[in-house]
Amino acid sequence: VEPTGGVVCFPRLKNREDSREFCEILKARHSVSLLPGFTFETPAYFRINFGVDRENFRQALDLVRLYVEDARR
């Protein structure tokens, strides 16, 4: 039976008050779509949707990881 809903994660960005720029950069540079938390009145957070196939999800998480590691430098 195919699920009718999805599973999401809602992490918080440390040392940032708003996740919009983070989400916009990932979308523009890597075509990774995250939903900024201001939509839910929690701007420092962002939503990750697990409702995609595993391989695309792994690739997207790798791109998020690489971006975060690069931003720390």
Side-chain angles (χ1 to χ4, degrees):
V1 174
E2 287 287 321
T4 58
V7 178
V8 298
C9 179
F10 206 57
R12 180 181 62 89
L13 285 175
K14 287 185 175 182
N15 303 320
R16 298 238 182 146
E17 292 184 20
D18 195 323
S19 66
R20 276 186 266 201
E21 180 182 18
F22 175 79
C23 294
E24 289 169 1
I25 289 171
L26 278 163
K27 178 70 172 175
R29 293 185 187 171
H30 303 292
S31 297
V32 173
S33 185
L34 303 171
L35 188 62
F38 80 92
T39 307
F40 306 101
E41 299 181 8
T42 53
Y45 291 75
F46 61 96
R47 189 183 81 174
I48 299 173
N49 182 1
F50 291 84
V52 297
D53 68 81
R54 286 182 185 212
E55 187 55 33
N56 283 341
F57 185 70
R58 285 185 183 125
Q59 289 174 1
L61 281 184
D62 282 342
L63 291 169
V64 171
R65 178 185 53 81
L66 291 171
Y67 173 73
V68 169
E69 287 175 355
D70 189 47
R72 288 182 177 170
R73 295 178 202 172

